[in-house]
């Protein structure tokens, strides 16, 4: 498999695309005025405690207060280590209004919701995540070889003990990241002193900074891509900015020397994303319909509550029988769905309506294909079996806004409904409003201001109804086109 990272850097925006075998799989965007805050650590203040929700709101200096649940708050013992009980304590026993609280953002503000917060603090390096308030050493679940998991665990434990003997703080625990699989002990352990020193600096900032304030900000997107997305099988990392390439080379030389040789500056006149067809793919990812190679298609709808995906055979008629046609369409759809979830960054509850399959083995193979293709996804997902209604329910971890939420806004005409009232419906609304106004107020005549399409309908197909209405209210009705009105807008003016 061939994988490349493309980093497009502009003065106001940075974009990262992950391309596998020439096909776009994931897109990350960061705008200077709207930078993501996941991973940032803040010194905030509790402004409201909600016992009924077992949660609290925390002012961290943003437009909207952050939200923290009682399960994300861990009291510290005398040694500054989290006391994680199986039973979640009452929120009122954990925090009080006005109390300062050091928290970390685990989910960006999305739509009208504030950032999701936690007191389980951590800071990341290339191979390790340091958790200063625990003594746990964990290994990424994506590292499956038991011998490799044990090797990594022993390396970290031995290094922590050695550093403690050398006088460097050994408090805290670690999580070994997926990219650490197969790396040498020397490379892996280079992260530990760096993380200890970083946390020592943050501890000082926590003591002196006012409330609310930022204690720690994660790396910009171009650097996070090198740290989090570059993997052993990433063949190239192409950057279209010479300045950004220089910073990336410096970062890689210091923290990720194994990828330094894969960095490449792209000086071409043709935009980097155009060269790989990324812009076109992003445009397609904003559409509701996804066409499959076989002729089938997906309908993807994203709402506040959940995302739904409907699979259809479309123009695919198959070669053998109906069941085989359905099975092949669903198999192709499972692979396409996994890619679309990554590309669009859909999260939360996802309902997939595969075409009904009678054969249990076919159902199992389609589910297995979906699970297999999602293994490469950076976001954690959980899939149930096929429900009694033939639906597949799954969840995908959501830490940032979807591609559509970042790039688009609700339509000002339909206000995000995705539909407009028909011109005929608006005409009958106008008739009802005229009757209300005529009964309530005296006037010589009535003027209707509306869009061109509505006025045309009133003067043509609805002209007989207009004449009847004039007779009913005993006054004339005049019409005037307002070019700036959309199809649903109108005004009734008494003259």
């Amino acid at each position: 498999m061939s994988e490349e990272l493309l980093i497009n850097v502009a003065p106001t925006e940075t974009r990262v695309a992950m391309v596998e075998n020439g096909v776009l799989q994931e897109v990350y965007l960061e705008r200077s005025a709207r930078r993501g805050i996941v991973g940032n650590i803040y010194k905030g203040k509790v402004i409201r405690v909600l016992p009924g929700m077992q949660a609290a709101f925390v002012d961290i200096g943003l437009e909207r207060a952050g939200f923290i649940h009682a399960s994300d708050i861990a009291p510290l013992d005398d040694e500054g280590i989290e006391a994680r009980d199986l039973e979640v304590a009452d929120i009122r026993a954990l925090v009080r209004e006005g109390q300062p609280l050091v928290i970390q953002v685990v989910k960006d503000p999305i739509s009208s919701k504030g950032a999701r917060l936690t007191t389980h603090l951590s800071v990341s390096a290339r191979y390790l995540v340091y958790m200063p308030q625990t003594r746990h050493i964990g290994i990424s679940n994506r590292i499956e070889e038991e011998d490799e998991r044990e090797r990594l665990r022993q390396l970290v434990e031995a290094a922590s003990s050695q550093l403690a003997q050398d006088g460097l703080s050994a408090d805290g625990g670690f999580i070994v990241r997926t990219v650490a699989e197969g790396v040498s002990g020397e490379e892996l352990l280079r992260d530990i002193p760096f993380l200890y020193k970083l946390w020592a600096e943050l501890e000082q900032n926590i003591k002196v900074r006012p409330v609310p304030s930022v204690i720690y900000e994660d790396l910009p997107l171009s650097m996070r891509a090198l740290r989090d997305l570059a993997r052993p099988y990433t063949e190239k990392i192409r950057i279209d900015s010479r300045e950004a390439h220089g910073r990336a080379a410096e970062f890689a030389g210091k923290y990720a020397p194994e990828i330094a040789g894969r960095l490449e500056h792209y000086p071409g006149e043709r935009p980097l994303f155009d060269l790989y067809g990324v812009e076109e793919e992003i445009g397609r990812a904003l559409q509701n319909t996804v066409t499959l190679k076989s002729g089938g298609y997906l309908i993807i709808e994203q709402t506040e509550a959940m995302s739904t995906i409907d699979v259809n055979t479309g123009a695919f008629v198959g070669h053998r029988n109906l069941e085989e046609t359905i099975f092949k369409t669903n198999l192709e759809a499972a692979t396409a769905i996994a890619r679309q979830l990554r590309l669009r960054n859909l999260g939360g509850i996802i309902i997939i309506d595969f075409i009904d399959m009678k054969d249990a083995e076919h159902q199992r193979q389609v589910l297995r294909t979906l699970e297999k293709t999602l293994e490469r996804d950076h976001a954690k997902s959980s899939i149930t079996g096929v429900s009694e209604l033939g639906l597949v329910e799954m969840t995908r971890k959501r830490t940032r806004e979807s591609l559509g939420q970042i790039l688009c806004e609700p339509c000002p005409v339909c206000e995000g409904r995705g539909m407009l009232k028909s011109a005929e419906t608006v005409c009958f609304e106008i008739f009802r409003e005229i009757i209300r106004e005529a009964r309530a107020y005296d006037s010589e005549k009535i003027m209707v201001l509306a869009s061109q399409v509505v006025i045309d309908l009133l003067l043509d197909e609805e002209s007989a109804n207009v004449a009847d209405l004039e007779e009913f209210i005993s006054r004339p009705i005049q019409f005037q086109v307002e070019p700036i009105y959309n199809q649903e807008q109108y005004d009734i003016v008494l003259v």
Side-chain angles (χ1 to χ4, degrees), residues 379-397:
K380 185 179 180 181
S381 58
S382 175
I383 304 173
T384 67
V386 180
S387 72
E388 292 180 3
L389 297 176
L391 305 175
V392 173
E393 302 167 7
M394 65 171 288
T395 59
R396 184 174 182 270
K397 187 175 181 181

Side-chain angles (χ1 to χ4, degrees), residues 194-208:
F194 163 74
L195 290 169
Y196 279 161
K197 291 173 185 175
L198 173 61
W199 179 249
E201 181 181 333
L202 297 183
E203 280 189 308
Q204 292 302 314
N205 290 340
I206 290 171
K207 293 176 183 177
V208 301

